[in-house]
Amino acid sequence: MNFTHLSDRPEAYFLVAAFLLAVGIYGLIRRRTLIGMLIAGELIFGAASLNIMTVNRFFSPDPAVGQIFVLFIMGLAAAEVAIALSIIIAVYRNYRSIHSTDISELNS
Amino acid sequence: MSNFPFADYITGAIFCLAVGTTLGGALIAALSTRIIRGVCGLMICCIGLAGLYWFLHSPFLALMEILIYVGAVCVTIVFGVMLSETDEPAQEKQRSFAALWGLGAVLVGLGVFFAVSRLSLGGPWKVPAAFANDGSVQAIGLALLTTYSLAFELISLVLLVAILGALVIARSGRTKE
């Protein structure tokens, strides 16, 4: 495979998106702070957006739809981050910690 | 392509740079011990993603990616990091259990990677015969204001509710000292 035409092949984008999803899920399992989990979630959002954009560029009859969809994903991600960070700050005020093992009051 | 010398090779090198930036940033974001380095890794990853969007014929989304993710989301997370104490705790208890957990996470990640890449590479993708528009910013604007106008209005409502909700949640429990 010639690397000069790699940017015209959907496989390259698909592999990058699958790698981002795998790294995001790995981080979601492995992280023990809430902000770390939030960052891993953002990686998963990035993977989904890249996958949608790849299908949109190569296989969709209407190339505007995927871009609008990804734009909505970005807006929802921004709203989600704002809410999640305010919850994290509220948790930190109550528990003086944001480690997921310390927030276990309901785990009797 | 163009008659610029080595244009193909330069394009390929920039594409590989974007892919490498994305993958490296994602690895930094998931593996670093200090959380502020993870945020910086997320920024690097988003810059690489913007490059990939550019290669996917969507400079509008590339700009939006940098504006929203690097400019807004990552800076908001940095504020969250500053307001709380976020570093990953040291490995204090049950080292074998932690190692087992890490091994399980790696296995799950590898499984997801191979399953998703097998699905997406082996799918029966069909290239369409004709395109409805050229995917330019003008086409996006037209679709946003006609077909998707309701979703467009709804997302502005969602953002407003998110701002108010964040203010309310973060404000309760705040005391004057």
Side-chain angles (χ1 to χ4, degrees), chain B residues 51-144:
Chain B
L52 288 182
Y53 288 155
W54 191 286
F55 274 103
L56 286 169
H57 294 190
S58 178
F60 173 64
L61 272 191
L63 288 180
M64 280 294 135
E65 176 86 17
I66 288 182
L67 198 68
I68 295 179
Y69 271 95
V70 183
V73 169
C74 286
V75 172
T76 318
I77 296 178
V78 168
F79 272 110
V81 171
M82 284 195 287
L83 288 174
S84 55
E85 184 185 319
T86 55
D87 281 341
E88 293 272 321
Q91 309 261 355
E92 70 272 22
K93 56 189 174 186
Q94 295 161 347
R95 298 196 54 137
S96 62
F97 178 72
L100 204 65
W101 190 245
L103 187 69
V106 169
L107 283 181
V108 169
L110 280 179
V112 166
F113 175 69
F114 283 114
V116 172
S117 36
R118 193 189 144 96
L119 268 181
S120 51
L121 294 188
W125 300 109
K126 286 197 193 88
V127 179
F131 292 101
N133 54 51
D134 53 352
S136 61
V137 180
Q138 193 182 8
I140 297 173
L142 275 178
L144 268 182

Side-chain angles (χ1 to χ4, degrees), chain A residues 13 19-20 22-23 26 29 31-33 42 49 57 59-63 65 67 72 74 77 85-86 93 98-99, chain B residues 15 23 26 29-32 53 55 57-58 65 69 76 86-88 101 109 125 131-133 135 140 148 166 170:
Chain A
Y13 300 98
F19 183 83
L20 276 185
V23 169
Y26 171 80
I29 298 174
R31 287 284 188 194
R32 276 166 296 169
T33 63
E42 292 304 314
S49 310
R57 153 85 170 80
F59 306 114
S60 163
D62 187 357
V65 177
Q67 303 187 39
F72 285 160
M74 285 179 190
L85 275 177
S86 66
R93 280 213 196 97
I98 58 166
H99 298 151
Chain B
F15 178 72
L23 301 186
L31 300 178
S32 60
Y53 288 155
F55 274 103
H57 294 190
S58 178
E65 176 86 17
Y69 271 95
T76 318
T86 55
D87 281 341
E88 293 272 321
W101 190 245
W125 300 109
F131 292 101
N133 54 51
I140 297 173
Y148 301 99

Side-chain angles (χ1 to χ4, degrees), chain A residues 7-26:
Chain A
S7 60
D8 290 331
R9 301 178 65 90
E11 290 90 353
Y13 300 98
F14 278 141
L15 283 180
V16 173
F19 183 83
L20 276 185
L21 176 67
V23 169
I25 288 178
Y26 171 80

